[in-house]
Amino acid sequence: MTSADPLRNLGVRLGPNGGELRVYSENADSMELCIFDDKDPNWLVKTVTMAKDPNNVWVGRSRTLTVGTRYAIRVSGPASPTNVFNPETLLLDPYARGLVRVGPNEWRGCVVADGFDWGDVTKPGTPLDHTVIYEAHVKGISKLNPAVPEDLRGTYAGLAHESTIGYLTDLGVTAVELLPVHAFVSEQRLIQQGLTNYWGYNTLNFFSPHAPYASRSAQAGGPETVLAEFKGMVKLLHQAGIEVILDVVYNHTAEEGIGGPRTSFRGIDNATYYRQDANGAYIDVTGCGNTVDVGKDVPVRLVLDSLRYWANEVQIDGFRFDLAATLGRDASVEYTPEHPLLQAILHDPRLAGVKMIAEPWDVGMGGWQTGNFPDGFSEWNDRYRDRVRNFWLADIKEARAHGEAPIGIGGFATRLAGSSNTFSPERGPLASVNFVTAHDGFTMADLTAYDVKHNLGNGENNRDGTDNNRSFNHGVEGATTDEAVLLERHKTIRNLMGTLLLSSGIPMITAGDEFGRSQRGNNNAYCQDSELTWVSWLHTREQRELLQTTKRLLDLRRTNPALRPSRYAVLGQTTPNASHMDWFDATGALMDDEDWNSPENRTLQYLAASTPDREEFNRVLLIVHGVEDDVQVSLPIAPGVVSYSLLWDSATEVPIDETDAEFAPGTSRLVGGTSMQLFRADGPRVLPTTSADAASGVETVA
């Protein structure tokens, strides 16, 4: 950044003679810095008239603007359809790095100094092909953990506690993706209903950590102590080799629609920060009342400055962008992957090496953009989610009702192999963040136990939440003691988790799915801050068995490079870090065109051989059987394969120990109904000659 940068150093900057506040507003006609008493944030002790520079940046200086100072701004301006100035309203500096709440809808900014003793702890820098994401809620993950001191449960310090971190490392994940931790508030509608926004997708400020997630002692110490606890959490997670990814909400703010709270942006420069038509009506492509206008330079700069702050000052490893299609909408509200914000995120040297993950949709026109983000972004792959749910749940339900599944195995194989029909060859399989569940929707256990949502507790008469769950209750809605139903549900969970962790791409596990956590059929628990949504640390025998399965699968993923290619194979070439694939049917014959789409064929053998440049050669065989009847499978005869060793079978409730048993190619094996088996294929390195032909055949399937 140079001195010629017109938007340099927005917010508070400290110097030897106090501090300087810089706030952008093109349309204001006056602005005032208000400084409050250190002990009483409602007692105004000083006001400073701010001056506007040629770049529409308002500047105010004061010797009393120092670390710990509580401050706000007052802004006045002309009446117009697109602005709602009120010189009596005390507003938050958009760049405030600490907040103090002083009333129901009123805050003060707090000056916070940079700096923290990171010691010799640095970012883990986990390669994408080794990354396994664990989506968690800061409060929910430790609130019920009996090993965490009671005063730290549900806090940043609770997540950083040795028992929580020990659990994550023992599980085998490499990154925690935290639901929003930027300071947020509950929507006015929820407050009136006596509910709260638990998930946090309602951002108040993009530079301050959410104070209620800090321990009581940290909250009592003020914003600087809250920030220190947050940084301490990041440091301890990094020390354990676990990356921290933040779910960030730059698409809208907590000011809601016109008539909603006026806490910051709306009172400073409504016309600059929010998308509006000429009459001042908001253009809302987020479904949340307002949309941040990244068609303008100043909101783009705000997002970039926030990302730089968290990535560098707070040492965050990555960001998952909520409703990221909104961030790619230009001045005409049309999405383009060439949007200056998206390109700047990828090419800013201060964000180099930071993982960028897009939720590739919003609710506006042309809002579904899966596969259409620029190279450098990974994306939540909803096509993967839907296909995997269909194969193991909706299709099986259909087969029970009508005698045959509606579709064959081709589309499922495409997702298993890295979604090459969705992402370009340049981006490869690591552009896909594979998930079966997320915070939004049924848990993995609930997918197997509920045909319909049960959201009455949300106060909207069960109207909220999707009806397109692609779930299957296996014959009984909700809880049951029917042992046969429970066994089928548990096997289905193992199939879902097995598919997720054995697929090409970046897997994301939702916290609690590893042991079968339930939300009792609520598929939109955004307003449920209770044991319904908190992760339980007391597990039944069946849950412990599921946890063992997840650990085993994560270990198999880590130790078998063929399961995690970073590139797609290319016909006639040996591509480093691509897995060359052969596809066989149950008889051990190569799949033909009819096999891919025929509902009569839902059994597949997938032989993947790695082409690593950093790891040892590896080859695995995965058998997928998507029919409830057992089947005899002939292990394929393939060049270089001398024997197969069974590593995992989803039909068993407890993962098998690795044995010395070997099976010769051509051996016939019984595969249980709706199950998967994974083998290591042993023998000299001989790359399959048919791999690219087979892979290209799969790519044509939706």
Side-chain angles (χ1 to χ4, degrees):
M1 186 181 297
T2 68
S3 58
D5 183 353
L7 297 179
R8 70 188 187 282
N9 296 335
L10 293 176
V12 172
R13 292 296 181 271
L14 298 176
N17 299 312
E20 176 183 88
L21 172 65
R22 296 168 56 83
V23 178
Y24 182 92
S25 180
E26 178 182 354
N27 295 293
D29 56 24
S30 69
M31 191 176 298
E32 192 174 53
L33 165 63
C34 303
I35 296 175
F36 296 84
D37 182 70
D38 289 345
K39 296 181 179 178
D40 183 355
N42 285 306
W43 182 12
L44 179 62
V45 297
K46 186 176 183 178
T47 59
V48 176
T49 300
M50 300 173 69
K52 184 178 183 180
D53 73 11
N55 301 302
N56 298 316
V57 175
W58 296 77
V59 183
R61 301 179 181 89
S62 174
R63 290 183 177 273
T64 56
L65 197 61
T66 59
V67 173
T69 299
R70 274 66 166 159
Y71 71 101
I73 54 176
R74 289 194 291 221
V75 184
S76 65
S80 73
T82 57
N83 271 304
V84 285
F85 293 110
N86 185 336
E88 301 302 315
T89 305
L90 291 162
L91 301 168
L92 271 176
D93 165 22
Y95 281 71
R97 298 187 181 181
L99 303 185
V100 177
R101 188 167 192 160
V102 298
N105 269 315
E106 196 169 350
W107 286 262
R108 306 286 180 256
C110 181
V111 180
V112 173
D114 289 343
F116 183 76
D117 182 10
W118 295 99
D120 59 357
V121 177
T122 59
K123 295 183 179 183
T126 307
L128 276 177
D129 62 316
H130 285 74
T131 296
V132 178
I133 298 170
Y134 188 80
E135 190 199 36
H137 189 284
V138 168
K139 181 176 182 178
I141 193 172
S142 71
K143 183 64 177 175
L144 298 177
N145 185 351
V148 174
E150 188 171 358
D151 60 328
L152 301 183
R153 294 175 194 168
T155 69
Y156 300 125
L159 173 52
H161 189 266
E162 60 184 4
S163 66
T164 316
I165 290 179
Y167 176 82
L168 295 171
T169 54
D170 184 53
L171 180 60
V173 298
T174 69
V176 288
E177 181 176 300
L178 301 178
L179 268 67
V181 296
H182 288 169
F184 67 87
V185 294
S186 295
E187 293 86 343
Q188 298 301 299
R189 174 185 58 80
L190 288 179
I191 293 171
Q192 292 167 5
Q193 291 179 284
L195 298 170
T196 61
N197 185 323
Y198 174 65
W199 287 348
Y201 292 89
N202 201 44
T203 307
L204 177 69
N205 176 272
F206 297 120
F207 291 83
S208 304
H210 191 56
Y213 288 164
S215 62
R216 289 184 182 178
S217 60
Q219 292 184 55
E224 194 156 26
T225 312
V226 169
L227 180 58
E229 183 174 300
F230 189 99
K231 290 179 177 179
M233 173 195 73
V234 174
K235 180 178 179 179
L236 288 171
L237 285 163
H238 283 177
Q239 205 165 39
I242 298 173
E243 294 186 314
V244 181
I245 298 170
L246 300 186
D247 194 335
V248 286
V249 188
Y250 294 114
N251 57 80
H252 75 282
T253 78
E255 291 185 306
E256 304 183 34
I258 289 290
R262 178 170 40 211
T263 53
S264 184
F265 305 98
R266 177 172 290 143
I268 294 170
D269 198 345
N270 190 52
T272 291
Y273 283 105
Y274 296 122
R275 289 193 184 272
Q276 304 171 62
D277 64 20
N279 298 317
Y282 279 176
I283 300 171
D284 180 14
V285 300
T286 69
C288 301
N290 66 64
T291 301
V292 174
D293 189 357
V294 295
K296 297 189 175 77
D297 291 341
V298 172
V300 165
R301 178 58 176 268
L302 174 77
V303 174
L304 289 172
D305 283 345
S306 174
L307 293 172
R308 293 162 182 159
Y309 173 73
W310 290 96
N312 294 287
E313 178 62 28
V314 194
Q315 290 289 288
I316 294 303
D317 304 276
F319 301 95
R320 178 267 188 189
F321 296 91
D322 181 63
L323 300 183
T326 298
L327 305 183
R329 290 187 180 272
D330 59 19
S332 301
V333 205
E334 294 183 359
Y335 173 82
T336 169
E338 301 304 317
H339 191 285
L341 176 56
L342 300 182
Q343 293 300 320
I345 287 171
L346 294 176
H347 298 113
D348 190 325
R350 286 157 289 189
L351 298 175
V354 176
K355 292 177 171 67
M356 302 299 180
I357 301 169
E359 181 185 40
W361 51 78
D362 64 17
V363 301
M365 290 292 291
W368 187 67
Q369 294 293 335
T370 306
N372 199 26
F373 272 71
D375 187 12
F377 277 96
S378 297
E379 301 176 35
W380 274 27
N381 189 348
D382 55 317
R383 291 180 174 181
Y384 177 95
R385 174 200 63 202
D386 294 348
R387 180 62 71 180
V388 172
R389 289 189 184 190
N390 278 351
F391 188 80
W392 292 119
L393 295 158
D395 289 358
I396 303 303
K397 180 181 179 181
E398 181 79 3
R400 281 198 189 180
H402 301 102
E404 185 177 74
I407 196 169
I409 203 167
F412 178 86
T414 304
R415 301 303 160 196
L416 190 69
S419 296
S420 59
N421 63 346
T422 300
F423 301 100
S424 67
E426 294 76 21
R427 299 181 68 191
L430 297 180
S432 178
V433 174
N434 297 331
F435 68 108
V436 177
T437 68
H439 63 276
D440 186 2
F442 278 151
T443 67
M444 195 173 284
D446 286 355
L447 282 174
T448 73
Y450 295 91
D451 278 358
V452 295
K453 66 190 181 187
H454 295 264
N455 295 354
L456 284 173
N458 297 349
E460 298 183 52
N461 294 317
N462 213 39
R463 292 190 302 268
D464 65 304
T466 183
D467 293 312
N468 185 24
N469 296 294
R470 302 168 192 257
S471 58
F472 177 35
N473 66 17
H474 293 81
V476 179
E477 184 74 0
T480 183
T481 57
D482 188 314
E483 190 63 27
V485 170
L486 291 173
L487 287 173
E488 287 299 320
R489 289 178 178 179
H490 296 158
K491 184 174 65 172
T492 302
I493 294 173
R494 294 193 294 273
N495 287 329
L496 292 169
M497 188 63 77
T499 303
L500 176 64
L501 297 180
L502 302 179
S503 293
S504 300
I506 302 170
M508 185 185 78
I509 301 170
T510 303
D513 276 354
E514 69 272 20
F515 60 80
R517 182 180 75 88
S518 174
Q519 289 179 171
R520 300 197 294 274
N522 191 320
N523 74 353
N524 190 35
Y526 73 103
C527 57
Q528 300 295 327
D529 186 359
S530 68
E531 293 191 18
L532 181 72
T533 50
W534 302 339
V535 173
S536 173
W537 290 71
L538 300 176
H539 303 151
T540 65
R541 175 183 59 81
E542 292 82 4
Q543 288 179 321
R544 290 193 296 271
E545 291 170 353
L546 288 171
L547 181 57
Q548 284 181 265
T549 293
T550 305
K551 290 180 182 179
R552 175 64 172 155
L553 288 165
L554 283 166
D555 183 62
L556 291 170
R557 181 179 184 84
R558 181 170 55 254
T559 55
N560 288 279
L563 293 170
R564 40 182 175 80
S566 56
R567 298 178 181 175
Y568 297 128
V570 178
L571 180 64
Q573 298 180 16
T574 299
T575 306
N577 299 313
S579 287
H580 289 253
M581 303 167 188
D582 272 331
W583 306 87
F584 304 89
D585 62 19
T587 71
L590 287 169
M591 297 276 283
D592 61 30
D593 290 343
E594 291 185 6
D595 290 334
W596 291 117
N597 297 311
S598 171
E600 297 178 358
N601 180 46
R602 287 174 60 89
T603 305
L604 174 75
Q605 299 190 78
Y606 161 46
L607 185 66
S610 69
T611 56
D613 59 5
R614 301 183 306 273
E615 300 177 84
E616 294 297 318
F617 172 72
N618 172 244
R619 184 164 42 205
V620 295
L621 174 71
L622 180 64
I623 301 176
V624 177
H625 178 51
V627 177
E628 291 199 280
D629 295 327
D630 297 348
V631 66
Q632 286 288 336
V633 168
S634 181
L635 300 180
I637 299 171
V641 178
V642 174
S643 64
Y644 295 99
S645 301
L646 182 63
L647 302 176
W648 178 68
D649 185 348
S650 74
T652 63
E653 296 180 43
V654 178
I656 60 172
D657 293 326
E658 198 160 348
T659 68
D660 295 329
E662 295 182 349
F663 305 92
T667 300
S668 180
R669 279 189 56 82
L670 182 69
V671 176
T674 52
S675 70
M676 307 171 72
Q677 293 182 7
L678 180 70
F679 297 81
R680 184 179 62 250
D682 298 308
R685 179 173 181 173
V686 178
L687 293 179
T689 58
T690 56
S691 60
D693 290 330
S696 65
V698 182
E699 289 169 14
T700 63
V701 184

